[in-house]
Amino acid sequence: MCGIVAYFGRKHAQPILIEGLKRLEYRGYDSAGVALLEKGAFNITKTPGRISALEENLPEYESDSTVGIGHTRWATHGQPNQINAHPHVDYTGKIALVHNGIIENYATLKKWLIKEGCAFQSETDTEVVANLIGYFYDKNQDRNGRFAPKDCNRFEWAVQQALSEIYGTYGMAILCVDCPDMMIGVKKGSPLILGVGKNEYIIASDASAIVQHTTQAIYLSDGEMAIIDSDGFYTKTITNKEVQKELKEIEISLDQIELEGFDHYMQKEIAEQPVSLETCLNGRVDVKNGRIILGGVSQYLRELTRTKRIILTACGTAWHAGLVGEFLFEQLARIPAEVEYASEFRYRNPILEEGTVVIAISQSGETADTLAAIEQARDRGALVLGVVNVVGSSIARLTDAGVYLRVGPEIGVASTKAFTAQVAVLSMLAIELGRRRHLSTDAVQSLLRELMEIPAKIKRILAQTDYIRQIAQANKDHENWLFLGRGFNYPVALEGALKLKEISYIHAEGLPAAEMKHGPIALITDRMPAVFVATRCSQYEKIIGNIEEVRARGGKTIVVATEGDEHIKPYADHLITVPETCDQLQPLLTVVPLQILAYHAAVLRGHDVDKPRNLAKSVTVE
Ligand code: G6P
């Protein structure tokens, strides 16, 4: 949610910033801007809209500035117009910054600064930070009237003074016209990475904007700052204590973040699933001995096996994976489990009895609500494990231990390959706990054999893409859809509805199929497609009954069924088949045709599926 990038080096900064912003555009895309430090002033271009609009508005000559900051915005405070776009400059014109996060006490600070004579241009919380730094820099005094120590750098000191006044979250890159040989990055609650190249430094919200230039990086922790100057860089806390940070290797490669011939990242990521799942499972499943090897959590498996209750917490698609996880832990390990929306859990004063284990699920590892839920759980003494994709992300670092998804960067805003990997990881965990508690070796081996066959089975589903596109074509103009499933296919129905609504802007509702009778059946007409996930599993006969109820009322059905199921044919206006698997692993297959259906419905309706309106990939604000 908002992407920031900043360059300090010897090359022209502008093209590097624009390229970086394009890589980060999935984080927000309602307005964008860059500020270049040149000849003792800021050269700023800002515009509403996408990075392409920003490019069109850049001056015709390419600036030869080698220091600059850039931002792509997902608006929180103030409309996405030019004035509210970042970078923001302070009232003296000396400080410019870009910000990802939310300043919670901005209104109080703004009032005080206005009283002190600072003028504001925008409605943003960010401009308050710019003015606050500018104020301390300008006055050279802190709020108690004490002068800045003589031996300190005034810019660095002013940043620290301002940060000591702020409550909230931030990842920021900050420049000062008086210090053209200096750039400051600060982090608290929003991601920030410092890429360290040869005579060049790039600060960015994530590694995708850095990896083209260097694979060496410093991952700042909350409350830390990086100061880059002509001699190199140093790191300290925002309270001015020195900290030594380790250079780490960025683990993503350039080809992982390229489209590689696909029209959209979502399309690429759907197609990648056989390979991404194989990578996720690789080396973790020992079918012969009926074992799962998950190095990241091995030291906590004993505690997990004995736990009385598992709470899964997440947002969005990851929450749907968590719901599958709830069913898996209950059925396979016979451990009471429940999934919680992180945004609700964090404010509910949750009761966590001793021995409860919390599992936080997140693709980005940066979702603000999930992070806050983890903090709640940790404060109450729970063991917190993470199921995370982005290596080194905030959630990966905040949890006691965890399992990485290993699916590479997911860039399309609508999550696809992360969902299947989240379900695969939760399946592995549940099978291993089941093995330790009561499952027979035969049962475990059979589950593991099924699990290992999933990637090849997904390939068979992908082979039906053209056919599924035709179904999307035939139904794309309907403005309301229902998605229905039972048992393990109920979370898939929720996920199918979410996929469709978020990228095609069609209203879609997901439900446990039997609940339809308690209200939604009133909506059924021949203009409201009902998508049934009705594979041959334990509740097959029951869901056939639900399909009949819809058809009896003139409803049109799109049915996802098991390959070779002749019996179901008359119940479907459109039939999509998936290979057979056991009940518990159904979601890994049945979600795939729904991803493809949503993708094509959105493309056929003419939408930009990778950047759906109002959404952002990584929700780093509440
Ligand atoms: C946003 C994304 C979703 C994602 C959710 C949780 O809403 O658009 O695709 O499922 O955040 O994100 P996380 O990174 O925590 O999985």
Side-chain angles (χ1 to χ4, degrees):
M1 196 149 269
C2 293
I4 68 170
V5 60
Y7 180 80
F8 183 102
R10 296 183 179 173
K11 298 182 191 141
H12 286 185
Q14 183 176 296
I16 294 172
L17 295 179
I18 296 295
E19 171 65 31
L21 289 178
K22 284 184 182 164
R23 299 268 182 221
L24 296 172
E25 201 172 12
Y26 72 90
R27 300 178 65 87
Y29 32 83
D30 59 40
S31 50
V34 288
L36 299 162
L37 189 47
E38 67 186 313
K39 299 182 193 92
F42 292 120
N43 177 351
I44 297 182
T45 312
K46 308 202 280 190
T47 175
R50 303 276 168 95
I51 309 301
S52 49
L54 177 67
E55 271 185 299
E56 281 165 24
N57 281 294
L58 287 169
E60 275 189 10
Y61 71 95
E62 184 178 300
S63 158
D64 54 12
S65 164
T66 60
V67 179
I69 54 181
H71 189 271
T72 180
R73 181 167 185 245
W74 188 90
T76 55
H77 297 70
Q79 283 185 6
N81 55 26
Q82 191 189 16
I83 292 174
N84 289 332
H86 300 214
H88 286 285
V89 177
D90 77 313
Y91 68 104
T92 68
K94 290 197 167 180
I95 305 290
L97 59 84
V98 285
H99 169 221
N100 165 213
I102 287 192
I103 308 303
E104 284 168 18
N105 59 336
Y106 87 102
T108 321
L109 291 169
K110 187 168 179 173
K111 229 190 229 166
W112 175 69
L113 284 164
I114 290 172
K115 228 166 72 195
E116 292 290 307
C118 300
F120 280 81
Q121 316 295 326
S122 78
E123 303 154 89
T124 64
D125 52 339
T126 303
E127 195 186 4
V128 170
V129 191
N131 271 339
L132 208 53
I133 299 173
Y135 177 84
F136 290 121
Y137 184 79
D138 186 27
K139 304 279 181 240
N140 197 26
Q141 282 181 354
D142 68 14
R143 254 183 118 159
N144 300 315
R146 282 188 300 254
F147 285 103
K150 286 216 164 51
D151 55 348
C152 77
N153 176 287
R154 180 140 63 107
F155 173 33
E156 192 184 313
W157 174 86
V159 170
Q160 289 174 340
Q161 294 310 304
L163 297 183
S164 71
E165 302 285 337
I166 285 171
Y167 301 115
T169 55
Y170 47 80
M172 287 191 277
I174 314 162
L175 294 173
C176 174
V177 280
D178 292 343
C179 311
D181 287 340
M182 207 168 167
M183 179 163 84
I184 297 180
V186 293
K187 168 180 161 48
K188 192 179 154 219
S190 299
L192 199 86
I193 304 174
L194 169 65
V196 180
K198 206 164 167 245
N199 299 317
E200 62 179 359
Y201 300 89
I202 298 135
I203 290 174
S205 300
D206 77 40
S208 64
I210 296 175
V211 71
Q212 194 171 353
H213 308 281
T214 175
T215 57
Q216 297 289 298
I218 300 281
Y219 289 80
L220 288 186
S221 298
D222 282 350
E224 290 180 350
M225 61 197 292
I227 301 105
I228 299 142
D229 63 21
S230 42
D231 296 330
F233 76 95
Y234 51 98
T235 46
K236 45 168 69 174
T237 65
I238 56 179
T239 50
N240 207 29
K241 293 194 186 79
E242 266 188 40
V243 276
Q244 294 300 326
K245 302 293 290 185
E246 219 183 298
L247 263 185
K248 297 222 164 116
E249 186 73 18
I250 293 176
E251 292 194 7
I252 61 170
S253 60
L254 206 53
D255 56 327
Q256 285 180 311
I257 54 174
E258 299 286 2
L259 272 171
E260 293 187 307
F262 287 91
D263 294 332
H264 300 99
Y265 284 106
M266 182 185 179
Q267 184 190 29
K268 180 185 177 208
E269 286 154 9
I270 292 171
E272 267 173 12
Q273 287 176 111
V275 175
S276 60
L277 269 183
E278 238 163 45
T279 318
C280 173
L281 299 173
N282 198 10
R284 290 169 161 174
V285 180
D286 176 356
V287 182
K288 197 162 151 239
N289 297 304
R291 295 280 158 109
I292 290 287
I293 307 108
L294 292 170
V297 291
S298 55
Q299 67 182 116
Y300 293 104
L301 280 176
R302 187 183 286 246
E303 205 169 329
L304 250 177
T305 310
R306 290 187 189 148
T307 184
K308 295 221 163 50
R309 185 166 164 239
I310 294 175
I311 292 181
L312 302 118
T313 189
C315 304
T317 287
W319 187 91
H320 294 154
L323 186 56
V324 180
E326 174 183 313
F327 297 174
L328 286 166
F329 287 120
E330 285 185 359
Q331 283 215 4
L332 295 175
R334 304 303 297 153
I335 299 173
E338 67 216 61
V339 62
E340 297 268 7
Y341 287 109
S343 54
E344 291 292 323
F345 181 76
R346 63 182 290 193
Y347 289 115
R348 223 187 33 244
N349 195 7
I351 301 166
L352 299 181
E353 305 95 355
E354 212 188 317
T356 300
V357 174
V358 172
I359 301 180
I361 310 161
S362 174
Q363 187 287 127
S364 63
E366 302 294 347
T367 301
D369 283 323
T370 312
L371 272 164
I374 294 169
E375 274 161 11
Q376 276 276 346
R378 282 175 64 100
D379 286 352
R380 287 164 160 74
L383 169 68
V384 186
L385 305 178
V387 174
V388 172
N389 191 33
V390 178
V391 176
S393 55
S394 302
I395 294 179
R397 282 180 288 148
L398 193 65
T399 42
D400 295 297
V403 183
Y404 280 121
L405 302 182
R406 304 202 302 213
V407 298
E410 188 182 69
I411 297 170
V413 167
S415 184
T416 53
K417 65 175 178 176
F419 175 81
T420 42
Q422 285 158 353
V423 172
V425 166
L426 294 168
S427 306
M428 286 190 276
L429 260 177
I431 294 170
E432 179 59 16
L433 296 188
R435 180 187 77 78
R436 288 165 173 253
R437 286 167 65 94
H438 67 99
L439 286 179
S440 69
T441 308
D442 275 0
V444 171
Q445 283 175 325
S446 140
L447 282 162
L448 295 185
R449 260 193 301 274
E450 288 289 346
L451 188 56
M452 291 309 279
E453 283 175 13
I454 294 289
K457 289 180 177 173
I458 292 182
K459 252 190 211 161
R460 272 155 59 191
I461 302 170
L462 293 173
Q464 296 177 62
T465 295
D466 280 347
Y467 167 65
I468 298 172
R469 190 169 54 78
Q470 286 168 27
I471 300 175
Q473 172 73 52
N475 291 281
K476 70 174 173 50
D477 295 325
H478 295 302
E479 293 301 332
N480 298 288
W481 293 41
L482 272 183
F483 285 76
L484 302 149
R486 299 182 74 123
F488 279 92
N489 282 327
Y490 152 48
V492 173
L494 298 184
E495 177 60 7
L498 176 63
K499 286 290 86 83
L500 188 71
K501 77 181 109 178
E502 66 183 335
I503 54 173
S504 69
Y505 318 143
I506 290 170
H507 169 244
E509 205 175 331
L511 290 167
E515 274 298 304
M516 183 189 62
K517 287 196 287 291
H518 301 288
I521 201 164
L523 298 168
I524 295 292
T525 69
D526 61 356
R527 293 181 310 283
M528 183 176 199
V531 180
F532 280 94
V533 191
T535 46
R536 272 204 181 278
C537 50
S538 53
Q539 299 199 43
Y540 177 73
E541 299 300 338
K542 301 283 171 203
I543 200 162
I544 296 280
N546 300 135
I547 302 177
E548 278 193 286
E549 287 155 10
V550 166
R551 292 180 67 83
R553 286 155 183 86
K556 293 277 170 279
T557 57
I558 299 169
V559 179
V560 177
T562 306
E563 267 175 17
D565 183 353
E566 293 295 320
H567 172 72
I568 209 161
K569 278 191 175 159
Y571 296 92
D573 292 295
H574 302 280
L575 182 67
I576 303 168
T577 60
V578 298
E580 195 161 7
T581 190
C582 57
D583 266 27
Q584 295 86 352
L585 302 180
Q586 294 285 334
L588 290 169
L589 297 181
T590 50
V591 76
V592 178
L594 304 190
Q595 296 169 343
I596 302 171
L597 191 64
Y599 170 77
H600 285 292
V603 171
L604 290 163
R605 285 166 72 101
H607 299 312
D608 181 349
V609 290
D610 282 338
K611 299 185 190 74
R613 74 179 174 217
N614 306 338
L615 296 179
K617 178 82 184 148
S618 179
V619 182
T620 54
V621 296
E622 251 193 75

